[in-house]
Amino acid sequence: MKKELSEKLKIEVRDDDVMSYVLYPQVYLDYAAHVQRYDNTSVIPTPVFFYGMQSGEEIAVEIEPGKKLIIRYLTTGEAREDGMRTVFFELNGQPREVSVPDRSLEATLHKAAKADPDDPCHVAAPMPGKVSSVAVKKGQAIKAGERLLSIEAMKMETAVYSPLDGTVADVLVKPGATVTARDLLVTLEA
């Protein structure tokens, strides 16, 4: 079981992890995905984790023994067209800002599907940019290394190539579409 879980998560697991997985398989997998995505959020005070902070509120978070971060929430900017907001805060007295998705707007926004990094038939955007050309169409036979499309960003053009021989199952973008890194562009059939 330990070997199976370690291969599934692609990390070295402890006996406690295996026991948690055996007792609550899906709950543990959800927890492990959360830790891989956000790291150890158990250091955040529970009310702040669930309900957020109020403007001007300050908390201390011990990230390891003897090492604390003082976080003061300042304000949140207006929602942008891409569904993001800028959050302004201080970290140990230094002003910081970060862009975060506004989940309350997700229902009204079109969110691009993300490519599964473990699926060789998913072709992802290597960087954010605008699709400048699409060289293939659905049903077309392709060879490994054949150009599928091009993405343009900051006056540079990057070609995206097929990772395998096969057939184009679907093309999810058109020329002029704006994409972000890891957006699913093309699906293939091996």
Side-chain angles (χ1 to χ4, degrees):
M1 237 3 185
K2 188 172 189 174
K3 184 179 181 204
E4 174 189 321
L5 184 60
S6 186
E7 288 172 0
K8 188 177 277 193
L9 298 177
K10 298 180 177 74
I11 59 169
E12 191 169 324
V13 295
R14 302 168 299 146
D15 290 341
D16 290 351
D17 298 320
V18 176
M19 289 303 295
S20 296
Y21 176 65
V22 169
L23 292 170
Y24 307 102
Q26 191 56 52
V27 172
Y28 180 78
L29 291 175
D30 292 345
Y31 164 76
H34 175 87
V35 170
Q36 283 184 324
R37 184 169 182 188
Y38 301 109
D39 208 346
N40 179 15
T41 55
S42 69
V43 298
I44 299 171
T46 302
V48 171
F49 179 84
F50 284 113
Y51 308 112
M53 296 171 65
Q54 298 299 313
S55 186
E57 186 178 354
E58 183 175 284
I59 61 169
V61 177
E62 187 169 9
I63 56 173
E64 59 184 53
K67 193 173 194 179
K68 280 190 179 180
L69 296 177
I70 308 299
I71 304 168
R72 176 186 293 268
Y73 168 64
L74 301 173
T75 191
T76 301
E78 293 295 316
R80 298 191 303 260
E81 284 182 21
D82 63 356
M84 303 291 280
R85 289 182 185 262
T86 302
V87 176
F88 299 91
F89 61 100
E90 288 180 356
L91 186 61
N92 291 340
Q94 297 297 311
R96 304 267 195 228
E97 61 184 64
V98 63
S99 290
V100 297
D102 184 337
R103 291 189 190 132
S104 68
L105 300 175
E106 283 185 356
T108 62
L109 295 171
H110 169 69
K111 281 203 95 134
K114 295 294 182 186
D116 179 356
D118 297 326
D119 188 343
C121 292
H122 280 195
V123 179
M127 63 181 196
K130 187 179 276 190
V131 176
S132 57
S133 66
V134 177
V136 295
K137 60 183 179 235
K138 186 174 181 175
Q140 181 178 333
I142 52 160
K143 298 278 186 204
E146 189 174 332
R147 188 170 71 85
L148 301 173
L149 53 92
S150 296
I151 297 175
E152 184 179 284
M154 297 186 300
K155 298 183 183 180
M156 291 176 48
E157 190 167 275
T158 299
V160 178
Y161 300 98
S162 175
L164 48 88
D165 292 346
T167 306
V168 176
D170 201 5
V171 179
L172 293 115
V173 293
K174 294 182 167 118
T178 301
V179 296
T180 61
R182 299 187 335 269
D183 278 0
L184 181 59
L185 305 173
V186 176
T187 56
L188 306 172
E189 289 176 359

